[in-house]
Amino acid sequence: MLVSHDSDMLSSGNTVFREVRKCASPEIMGILTKAREFLKTTVADSTREIYSRDWKSFACWCSDHRLTDLPSTPDVVICYLTSIAMNGLQIPTIRRRSAAIASMHRAAGYPSPTSHPAVKELLRGMTRKLGTPPKPVDALLSEDIKKMVAALPDTLIGKRDKALILLGFAGAFRRSELVELDVEDIQHRNEGIVILLRHNKTDQMNKGRYVGIPYGANPETCPVRKFKLWLDESGIADGAVFRGINRHGQIASGRLSRRSVGDIVKHAAKAAGLDAARYSGHSLRSGHCTQASRAGVPEHIIMQQTGHSSKENFAKYVRLGRIFEENSAKEIGL
């Protein structure tokens, strides 16, 4: 049964609200419609998209093997998770696929087969056997960013990419935060710009938070000046800030994808003579943490910029970036 996540969420609403639907009064139906909207927002939009792709993978696998996907059974899920592990998928992806299966079953009003003890034991066994930390990407430091920006052409695409890279580095933004940015989220101040992040990975309740981007000392690498230049040159006055541009210089109406941020970073790194394979869109965020830490900026101030709520997660960024700077092996006389 290959269906969309949203339609299943609504079918869940139909199951839950079967009794009140008997009333069928206009007032109750209006309330029911609003309740369905609230149900749809229990999962972040970005997570819903990922879960939808993961569910499609599971549904296709079941179809290929003539198995039922909804509702499924623990033994089917065990075989599926084992199959994708044998194909080289990593533990975080396998666990996410399992979560997607659970989410779809809950949305459709069925008990989740992933709650069975055998499935949980399988995941624990996979973690012990296959669990390895993800391969880290290198942090981009200030000198790297300066080289990358200098290497980009003075074209419309180049101006967009300069603005994206400098803003991403100064704001320590995630890829999703960059591509979801709208012109309406920007406030111009004498000191720089203030950006409202309406959604982010750790803000499941969509409270939002503000991030300040000050003017830089060097006009060629100032994130505020390059950002304003991009808006002026592109003519973008509302909606998505960062958009695609075709080979004729025409700007798309839709926003860039998160993958595009990584592609832009890699392209700029290659143009600057860096090894593009070592970097990704995440290198901007991790680079800010590393560079600020090396400059002696207190942790709580860096975390205020990055939006980290956990010191443990924040420390992972800094620890890897300073792995040779803070290293006892340098002092043991070898």
Side-chain angles (χ1 to χ4, degrees), residues 275-292:
D275 182 359
R278 293 168 49 190
Y279 304 104
S280 73
H282 189 67
S283 296
L284 299 174
R285 181 171 168 83
S286 60
H288 178 107
C289 296
T290 302
Q291 188 71 65

Side-chain angles (χ1 to χ4, degrees), residues 215-254:
Y215 280 98
N218 183 349
E220 292 304 312
T221 56
C222 172
V224 178
R225 292 183 179 91
K226 293 301 182 183
F227 176 73
K228 289 182 176 180
L229 178 63
W230 158 243
L231 289 184
D232 290 342
E233 293 289 326
S234 65
I236 296 174
D238 56 63
V241 168
F242 295 114
R243 310 181 186 189
I245 305 173
N246 66 22
R247 58 192 179 90
H248 302 295
Q250 297 171 322
I251 300 174
S253 59

